Amino acid sequence: MADEALFQFLHNEVIQYIYKSSEHGEMENGRCITKLENMGFRVGQGLIERFTKDTARFKDELDVMKFICKDFWTSVFKKQIDNLRTNHQGIYVLQDNKFRLLTQLSAGKQYLEHAPKYLAFTCGLVRGGLSNLGVKSIVTAEVSVMPACKFQVMIQKM
Amino acid sequence: MVELLQETTTKGHQYEEETCLGQETQAMDIRLNSELFTLTYGALVTQLCKDYENDEEVNKQLDKMGYNIGVRLIEDFLARSSIGRCQDFRETADVISKVAFKMYLGITPSVTNWSPAGDELSLILESNPLVDFVELPDNHSSLVYSNLLCGVLRGALEMVQMAVDVKFAQDTLRGDNVTEIRMKFIKRIEENLPAGDE
């Protein structure tokens, strides 16, 4: 089933919609990113609920993050996270060398300024997924050379 | 799956590198991916309902967005399916229901209710993946939740030189037994009309 393509088309159209009705400028851009992130959050919450219905309880925070990197990422993006790093103090960096939602955009530095738009939803997705697993976090993303990107997860102690 | 633990020091922070290597991906429930689309679509409709005052506006937006998706989806479809040119509208309807719907949504609507002139038909969807987990609240009774689909069909067919009118005739979300999409062939489009986003 080519559902991955369908999701990508929808994702791109959502971004166009959110941005089309706004003006240019820092404030507006931030607002749009927030809207996209919030949408991703809701979806992430729902997805993880369905996904972990029959999964065993997670041992610890690292276990949760590995689940996100392997099972969750594979289900959503058909591949695992390529590299997970942590300082064991609540910060995790997830590196995807060929992020599916960026491969269509460019290979390299072209359109770099647009990359954040294509990452916002996924940041929310991760944050939402973690949230429903009982982990509160802040998720940001950075790109230097597409289609590789890094998602940074900062666990918030509740 | 092999996990390697290595100590690396970057900028004074101590990061342990946990490399996740998987020999092969686990047999994940493929259904999960259609849920990503379904849930994202739900989030979109929710956002639209927040942005627009009335259901009619939301319906219009969904149709527009569907159109924009359709004009791009057709290329993806033709690349994946390597289907040749359809001889007539009947063949087009068959391809839409048996190949396209199956490919993207995993369902095969039945094609029925042909008009005598052969220019209008119904696609009956026994189940509609877009509406999994969805209930329409009372104050959104005129919302055509899946209206994106109409736009997608319209946009995609326009790219293969067919102008069609597509709308929902029945909707399980609004209490009907089945979901019925009514599609009417309007005319053939001249090749040199440029396509544009709406």
Side-chain angles (χ1 to χ4, degrees):
Chain A
M1 230 161 60
D3 42 279
E4 197 193 358
L6 198 55
F7 169 71
Q8 287 199 28
F9 281 118
L10 182 66
H11 177 252
N12 291 353
E13 197 49 40
V14 169
I15 295 173
Q16 298 307 317
Y17 166 73
I18 298 272
Y19 273 83
K20 151 197 98 166
S21 34
S22 71
E23 296 118 32
H24 298 289
E26 274 304 315
M27 283 282 288
E28 272 305 314
N29 189 42
R31 245 199 289 268
C32 294
I33 298 277
T34 307
K35 269 194 198 172
L36 286 166
E37 210 264 358
N38 285 335
M39 284 179 70
F41 182 78
R42 291 180 53 123
V43 175
Q45 283 185 309
L47 261 187
I48 209 90
E49 241 177 56
R50 309 278 304 156
F51 204 8
T52 55
K53 250 186 328 166
D54 305 314
T55 323
R57 191 178 268 282
F58 293 106
K59 288 194 309 252
D60 54 25
E61 197 176 270
L62 183 58
D63 221 26
V64 173
M65 291 311 299
K66 284 191 196 165
F67 177 80
I68 298 280
C69 293
K70 291 193 265 202
D71 304 75
F72 188 71
W73 218 256
T74 303
S75 164
V76 178
F77 298 112
K78 304 286 207 297
K79 65 182 284 291
Q80 294 186 3
I81 282 283
D82 296 301
N83 194 311
L84 169 68
R85 284 151 84 218
T86 176
N87 64 356
H88 287 289
Q89 280 166 31
I91 299 192
Y92 297 84
V93 179
L94 287 64
Q95 184 161 328
D96 190 329
N97 292 328
K98 211 172 165 193
F99 187 52
R100 288 298 238 261
L101 300 180
L102 286 181
T103 50
Q104 302 289 316
L105 197 58
S106 99
K109 300 212 177 245
Q110 202 186 18
Y111 301 125
L112 197 60
E113 71 272 18
H114 294 289
K117 299 180 192 173
Y118 290 83
L119 299 168
F121 184 86
T122 305
C123 288
L125 206 68
V126 174
R127 188 168 66 91
L130 286 172
S131 160
N132 264 17
L133 290 176
V135 177
K136 193 160 175 224
S137 63
I138 295 181
V139 183
T140 54
E142 65 173 65
V143 186
S144 50
V145 181
M146 295 198 257
C149 68
K150 290 190 193 154
F151 294 90
Q152 179 167 287
V153 179
M154 272 182 291
I155 310 288
Q156 312 292 108
K157 291 299 167 199
M158 304 226 242
Chain B
M1 271 166 296
V2 178
E3 286 160 22
L4 302 172
L5 276 169
Q6 293 161 2
E7 295 273 350
T8 53
T9 313
T10 331
K11 292 188 191 152
H13 296 285
Q14 285 233 306
Y15 279 95
E16 268 187 34
E17 191 153 311
E18 321 242 357
T19 314
C20 322
L21 295 174
Q23 293 301 94
E24 73 274 312
T25 59
Q26 295 175 31
M28 281 294 130
D29 194 354
I30 313 278
R31 229 185 341 113
L32 252 302
N33 237 297
S34 68
E35 294 188 356
L36 171 64
F37 178 79
T38 299
L39 289 171
T40 305
Y41 187 70
L44 169 67
V45 179
T46 306
Q47 183 66 44
L48 288 173
C49 288
K50 271 195 215 137
D51 293 343
Y52 291 96
E53 294 283 303
N54 62 68
D55 292 345
E56 267 316 303
E57 273 305 313
V58 178
N59 294 340
K60 250 194 269 184
Q61 269 307 309
L62 285 172
D63 183 72
K64 250 193 227 183
M65 292 177 74
Y67 176 86
N68 293 339
I69 290 177
V71 304
R72 296 180 176 95
L73 192 83
I74 184 73
E75 269 177 47
D76 184 83
F77 172 70
L78 292 174
R80 277 178 213 269
S81 65
S82 38
I83 295 236
R85 198 174 265 286
C86 290
Q87 295 302 319
D88 55 27
F89 198 46
R90 272 183 191 267
E91 204 181 325
T92 306
D94 264 349
V95 168
I96 290 175
S97 66
K98 297 199 176 74
V99 190
F101 264 92
K102 183 100 178 74
M103 188 184 284
Y104 292 108
L105 293 174
I107 55 172
T108 315
S110 48
V111 181
T112 61
N113 279 357
W114 280 97
S115 63
D119 63 348
E120 203 171 336
L121 63 109
S122 290
L123 291 164
I124 309 278
L125 284 69
E126 298 290 321
S127 71
N128 178 0
L130 266 60
V131 309
D132 286 343
F133 333 125
V134 176
E135 251 179 47
L136 279 189
D138 293 326
N139 58 336
H140 284 291
S141 48
S142 11
L143 181 65
V144 183
Y145 184 85
S146 310
N147 215 28
L148 192 97
L149 289 181
C150 297
V152 173
L153 287 166
R154 189 166 61 88
L157 288 173
E158 189 174 301
M159 291 300 101
V160 287
Q161 276 70 58
M162 273 180 262
V164 293
D165 185 53
V166 192
K167 52 175 170 267
F168 276 87
Q170 292 190 74
D171 192 349
T172 48
L173 278 188
R174 285 154 84 181
D176 300 309
N177 287 336
V178 290
T179 298
E180 179 186 350
I181 297 178
R182 192 97 188 123
M183 198 157 76
K184 183 182 170 79
F185 178 81
I186 313 260
K187 62 171 186 188
R188 207 142 201 102
I189 305 176
E190 298 302 318
E191 291 255 352
N192 51 12
L193 272 182
D197 278 349
E198 293 187 352

